[in-house]
Amino acid sequence: MKNYDAIVIGTGQAGKPLAANMGRAGMKVAIVEKGRVGGSCVIEGCTPTKTMVASGRIAHLVRRAGDYGVNTGPVTVDLKVVRDRKRKIVDSWSNGSRTGLEKNENVDLIFGHARFVGASEMEVELNDGGTARITAPKIFINTGTRNRVPPLEGLNSVDWLDNASVME
């Protein structure tokens, strides 16, 4: 059992800065993340969407360049390059956030799935195997979002897209 001043579950928009700030204030903090550091906004929401929208905007502006007296040739969009750019930006933000947490000497970044086993105690199923027990008087839940697949007849028989897969 490892004791902390605080445990934060999730590395999203609130979790990462909360854990980092508490660590800088001298508190010993565990932050538990089951996937990639950054949360839904950075990994599959806001950040990747905005990078792809930016590419679309550029294509739109270039196609309208003639309206402004700027002559260009045919405009094409290479979706593989757009997707690769999106992936690189997401990776950069996620890796940067992870590095920032790992450099904070008062923050332990634990990869796994946390569950309560008491009022101030958690068990973490570690992603690389095994479990860890951690405890703290303050526990912050910052678990983010996930899509819900509607119970539509026939949906399981077609290749459907969600917010993450549509960008891939």
Side-chain angles (χ1 to χ4, degrees):
M1 174 88 65
K2 190 157 183 186
N3 299 311
Y4 291 93
D5 297 312
I7 297 169
V8 179
I9 307 167
T11 61
Q13 293 295 300
K16 181 195 163 280
L18 177 62
N21 288 335
M22 287 188 296
R24 281 192 292 275
M27 295 174 70
K28 188 65 179 161
V29 180
I31 186 164
V32 182
E33 174 58 55
K34 70 177 180 177
R36 295 176 66 188
V37 173
S40 57
C41 183
V42 169
I43 305 303
E44 58 194 24
C46 314
T47 301
T49 300
K50 287 176 182 175
T51 64
M52 296 185 88
V53 167
S55 295
R57 174 132 175 84
I58 295 299
H60 170 73
L61 290 173
V62 172
R63 285 187 177 127
R64 292 209 48 226
D67 297 344
Y68 297 89
V70 178
N71 298 316
T72 62
V75 176
T76 62
V77 176
D78 185 335
L79 287 178
K80 182 183 180 316
V81 173
V82 171
R83 187 191 65 208
D84 289 347
R85 177 178 173 269
K86 177 223 17 142
R87 287 178 175 175
K88 286 177 188 171
I89 290 170
V90 167
D91 288 346
S92 173
W93 285 39
S94 177
N95 294 338
S97 293
R98 179 178 178 162
T99 299
L101 287 170
E102 290 174 336
K103 285 183 177 180
N104 190 320
E105 64 186 33
N106 289 324
V107 175
D108 289 342
L109 176 57
I110 303 169
F111 287 98
H113 183 268
R115 68 180 182 92
F116 282 92
V117 292
S120 61
E121 187 177 337
M122 307 208 79
E123 181 177 81
V124 181
E125 292 178 38
L126 302 170
N127 288 356
D128 59 0
T131 60
R133 289 262 176 146
I134 56 178
T135 185
K138 294 177 173 86
I139 299 175
F140 301 90
I141 302 171
N142 179 58
T143 55
T145 67
R146 66 179 142 237
N147 64 342
R148 181 176 182 277
V149 180
L152 298 174
E153 186 176 328
L155 184 61
N156 61 351
S157 65
V158 297
D159 291 330
W160 53 271
L161 301 173
D162 63 15
N163 63 302
S165 61
V166 73
M167 290 185 278
E168 287 297 312

